Amino acid sequence: MNKNVMDYDTVSLDDDEGALLIIDQTKLPNDVEILRLTKLEDIHRAIYTLQVRGAPAIGVAAAIGLYIVVKNLDADCWDDFYTGLKAAKDYLASARPTAVNLFWALDRMEQAAVSNKSLSLCDVKKALRDEAMSIRDEDIAVCRAIGEHGLTLLKNGDGILTHCNAGQLAAVRYGTALAPVHLGRERGMNFRVFTDETRPLLQGARLSAFELVADGVDTTLICDNMASQVLKNGWVNIIFTGCDRVAANGDTANKIGTSGLAILAKHYGVPFYVCAPFSTIDAAAASGADIVIEQRPPNEVTELWYKRRMAPNGVKVYNPAFDVTDNALITGFVTEKGILHPPFPPK
Ligand code: MRU
């Protein structure tokens, strides 16, 4: 039987060849290509160019990638090994600034090395492999649990609107915002999912639509500026999005366009849920004002997905990759531990 994209883990480790395996998401939906990455620079580039993207997937890729790189470090003593590990960790952490899972996963890896420093370097490397695999396995379990809790908000036949890709391709399996849909499918349920195309990088059109169709879901692609009309038509019972970083007060950074959708949802009285693993909560950020928003290159807006450049040379371009949704617009957070409702933060 032919495999479809749902049959692959988005991120995995090939231990025999010492490689990080990712589905190259810049090639989707036309080609499902697996990249085998072994070099620090290639892993950094894969994260920056969105060959692997989505907060949970970035975290897992960075953890496995760091293990691959330090496994081959030419060091005879702990101090040299740790210097090499820190340099590789800091370089990977510089790939993208907003998704906190990247820093969270890399910090866990550093901690795993430090807490085993009394062991031989060979055993420290084994501990790093174990930690990377735990981060991967936990991601699958957490996403499935988010799916279970999210599914309690749904009934068969519901209309769901989603933005960007917070599905299987944004994690190892299931995803966050699309986990309830994939889990519902496993149980024979059907939903009508509307996916925003998500300008400028089209994660909704290229990725969410692709994995939903592959999973047999009734999927309708809309341009971002059609969401208001679709909500007004009464076609949507609930909105599920993912998140890249949740501040302590519940303000949430996610793909650019999310905050506008939350404002529309309030206007039309549609519940707006953010699906959030606890690893995406950043207690050090008091509010959304403390979250760094990634700015990306102008050519992503003017050229990347067009046969020919579609805007005049010389035009200025503003291209923030994320925006912050005010906590007051969020109906609840679907986490692996259950659904959190206001007040945010909990009293
Ligand atoms: O720039 P991207 O494609 O990495 O942005 C991804 C998102 O905004 C997702 O919604 C978010 O990471 C949650 S993924 C479960």
Side-chain angles (χ1 to χ4, degrees), residues 78 81-82 85 107-120 123-128 130-131:
W78 163 258
F81 177 79
Y82 185 58
L85 179 141
D107 284 346
R108 269 184 67 166
M109 292 295 284
E110 180 181 355
Q111 201 44 51
V114 170
S115 56
N116 288 291
K117 69 185 260 193
S118 58
L119 304 181
S120 69
D123 285 339
V124 172
K125 290 176 184 177
K126 279 191 194 132
L128 283 168
D130 290 348
E131 189 65 7

Side-chain angles (χ1 to χ4, degrees), residues 50 53-56 96 164-166 170 176 203 242-244 254-255 322:
L50 278 58
R53 35 66 53 203
R96 296 189 74 187
C164 192
N165 172 263
T176 59
Q203 289 93 333
C243 55
D244 284 80
N254 190 50
K255 180 52 55 193
F322 302 96

